[in-house]
Amino acid sequence: MNENDVLVLITASREKDEIVYRVECASNLTEEEFEYYLSEIIKGICKWKKSICEDSLRNFSGRIKVKKK
C-alpha cells in the first residue's frame, strides 16, 4: 500500500500491559471527511462481524494518544 494513498489508519497495539489505539488521517482531509470515513469503517466492521457491535460483548479499553504534529 502506498503511504500517499492512506486516508485513515487505525492501529491497535500492545505496549507493556496496555492496549494502545492510534487513529491517523491524511493531512488534507477535512474534519467532516474524517468523521464520515471513520463512521463508515465502523459500520463496515459491524456489518462484517455483528457480534462485535452487540451490547453483550465484553468491554475493551485503552489509551488514545494525541497525534504528534
Side-chain angles (χ1 to χ4, degrees):
M1 179 184 288
N2 184 344
E3 196 173 289
N4 295 326
D5 294 334
V6 175
L7 296 176
V8 177
L9 179 67
I10 301 170
T11 306
S13 60
R14 295 177 195 263
E15 290 184 9
K16 299 182 181 177
D17 292 332
E18 293 184 313
I19 303 295
V20 178
Y21 303 92
R22 290 180 180 82
V23 180
E24 301 175 52
C25 71
S27 60
N28 61 343
L29 284 184
T30 66
E31 186 173 330
E32 184 178 275
E33 289 172 315
F34 174 69
E35 289 176 5
Y36 173 75
Y37 293 143
L38 191 56
S39 68
E40 289 298 306
I41 291 167
I42 293 168
K43 284 180 195 176
I45 291 169
C46 289
K47 185 175 180 181
W48 171 54
K49 293 286 187 179
K50 291 179 175 70
S51 63
I52 290 174
C53 299
E54 292 177 354
D55 292 337
S56 62
L57 186 68
R58 297 178 287 169
N59 292 322
F60 293 91
S61 62
R63 292 180 290 130
I64 298 176
K65 293 184 178 183
V66 176
K67 183 178 177 182
K68 294 181 182 179
K69 293 182 180 181

